[in-house]
Each structure stands twice: as C-alpha cells, then as structure tokens.
Amino acid sequence: MRADIQPAELKALLPSLSLLDILGDGPLNLRVRLAGTRLREYYGVETTGRRVGDFDLGDQRAYWETAYREVIEAGRPAQGVVPLTPWNQPHVFQFWLRLPLIDAEGRIVMVLGHDAFLQSEKAHALASRANLRIA
C-alpha cells in the first residue's frame, strides 16, 4: 500500500477490508474481528465475530485452508480469485489479498484482508487461469 494514500482513498477501501484474529492451530481457526460492509453485501451474512471454519465453504474449503496456511504458517502474503459459489453467487468473482500482521514480539497474530468483487467476462477469464498466488 502506498504511504501517501489520501483520506478519501482510504475511506473507499474500508468497506472491502477485514481483520481476522488467529485463534490457534489450523488454518481456518480464525475469528473475523472486523468485516467491511461490502463483504456483508456480497456474502449475504454478517461475518464479524464469527469463525471462518464455521462457514460452509463447500469445495473451496481446501483452497482457503491452503491460502491461510501460507499466510499464517509461512508468514507470506497470498492473493487469488475464486467464484462466490459458497455464497450462492457463482457469477461473481472474489479477488482477494491476505497479509500477515505481527505483534511486538514478531508473532503473526492477525490477518488483514482486502477483497474486490467483479462480475464480468474478464473476471471469469482471469479466474480460470491461476487462482492462488503466494508471494
């Protein structure tokens, strides 16, 4: 993220941000501390305060486990794109970024997320290529 970001630009990003607390072992043992309003709009449910592992992710469960494992265990950012199939919107694509956040002792304690949602032929083409990338 740029260091010179303007307040109006930051305000535009807030609805797409999330903060997840790491609760213990396992890549999906995360609790959503904060989820922006855009996430609620697309998911159709409020996720704040809920555990990621409690959501029915269907055939994307392994995908998200791999992504969060890279962020939490390897300490590397990850990005990807998936259709919102588990949320009953397979025509909408979620372009996501997850970043590890550390505490004063250098332990990864949270994950910062940013999500963009697109519905287009271009989004479908991008999603069909590579949909998970580790930094």
Side-chain angles (χ1 to χ4, degrees):
M1 190 165 3
R2 296 185 349 243
D4 65 337
I5 193 164
Q6 299 298 310
E9 293 173 300
L10 181 60
K11 186 176 180 181
L13 287 174
L14 291 176
S16 299
L17 295 180
S18 58
L19 285 173
L20 300 103
D21 291 316
I22 299 170
L23 301 178
D25 294 335
L28 293 183
N29 197 6
L30 304 162
R31 182 181 54 245
V32 181
R33 176 182 287 218
L34 175 71
T37 55
R38 189 160 298 126
L39 297 167
R40 182 179 61 237
E41 290 170 11
Y42 279 94
Y43 293 163
V45 297
E46 179 59 66
T47 59
T48 300
R50 298 181 66 186
R51 290 176 182 245
V52 173
D54 292 343
F55 295 112
D56 180 9
L57 301 174
D59 62 355
Q60 290 181 6
R61 181 166 292 281
Y63 173 89
W64 285 109
E65 285 177 352
T66 300
Y68 281 114
R69 185 173 287 111
E70 283 296 320
V71 174
I72 296 165
E73 295 174 9
R76 294 188 295 233
Q79 66 181 17
V81 57
V82 291
L84 282 184
T85 307
W87 308 98
N88 298 317
Q89 296 188 68
H91 57 285
V92 176
F93 294 89
Q94 177 181 6
F95 291 78
W96 59 269
L97 172 67
R98 297 295 183 269
L99 304 169
L101 299 178
I102 61 172
D103 64 8
E105 287 81 39
R107 296 175 302 204
I108 299 170
V109 294
M110 294 181 77
V111 176
L112 172 65
H114 180 265
D115 299 271
F117 301 93
L118 299 173
Q119 177 183 345
S120 69
E121 287 301 317
K122 184 176 181 180
H124 189 281
L126 289 170
S128 66
R129 290 186 201 164
N131 64 5
L132 175 61
R133 184 167 291 187
I134 308 302

